[in-house]
Each structure stands twice: as structure tokens, then as C-alpha cells.
Amino acid sequence: MLKYVAFMKVDRPARWTEWCCGPTAQLFTSPIEKEKSKVEQWLEEELKRYPDASVNERFENKKYFIQTTIIAFNVEKSSENAGAFLTELLHFLL
């Protein structure tokens, strides 16, 4: 059965020049859905929270830099840990 999930990484370029000891971005994951349209809708609603954002492209003078992706995957009955795997995969995708 084919399922979908959306990933979104939100970063603030202003923080890139600050000293810190870790990543500056926040990572978000949609619920896993059977319909791609539901995942796309979740992503659209999340992006509305960041009106001054550059999405999937780097533009100067924007408050937020956002990267998004939607992943389709095939789940078998024995794939109980698909959600946990995809959450960990998020760090490598974006």
C-alpha cells in the first residue's frame, strides 16, 4: 500500500551568524497518510505560518528559509516502524 509523508525544515538565516553548538533549524513531519492530497494540504497549512519565507530556494532578505519534500513509500504489513524510520530519515533528507 502506497503512503505519503511530508517533511519541512524551517531555518532563520539571521541565526546562521550567531555562535551556537548545533543546528539552527526546526524539523516538522506531517502525519503519514494514504492520500497525497492530505499531505499536500498539511504542507500548505504549515507554510502559511511563515509568510516571509523562501521555500526550496535561497533568496536574500527573507526571514525564513524553508526546505520541503513529500515522500511516497510502500508499506507492507510487516512494516510497523515506518513512521520512526521516516522521522530519523528526515535529518538526512533536508
Side-chain angles (χ1 to χ4, degrees):
M1 169 186 295
L2 200 59
K3 291 194 177 184
Y4 300 89
V5 65
F7 294 137
M8 182 172 80
K9 181 169 95 173
V10 178
D11 210 344
R12 294 183 67 185
R15 295 192 68 202
W16 295 346
T17 59
E18 297 175 3
W19 181 87
C20 70
C21 60
T24 59
Q26 290 181 290
L27 306 171
F28 300 95
T29 306
S30 75
I32 296 172
E33 299 285 354
K34 293 179 184 177
E35 298 175 26
K36 185 177 180 182
S37 61
K38 288 184 179 181
V39 171
E40 290 171 334
Q41 181 180 3
W42 176 88
L43 192 54
E44 286 176 19
E45 290 299 317
E46 289 296 311
L47 289 174
K48 286 180 185 176
R49 295 175 41 201
Y50 303 96
D52 187 22
S54 170
V55 181
N56 295 326
E57 296 183 56
R58 285 193 175 197
F59 288 114
E60 298 298 322
N61 303 322
K62 293 288 187 176
K63 187 173 181 179
Y64 299 99
F65 173 56
I66 300 176
Q67 292 175 290
T68 65
T69 190
I70 295 176
I71 301 225
F73 60 99
N74 195 1
V75 177
E76 301 291 329
K77 286 185 179 182
S78 61
S79 301
E80 298 172 357
N81 296 322
F85 172 74
L86 290 168
T87 300
E88 292 303 316
L89 183 64
L90 173 62
H91 301 282
F92 298 102
L93 292 174
L94 300 175

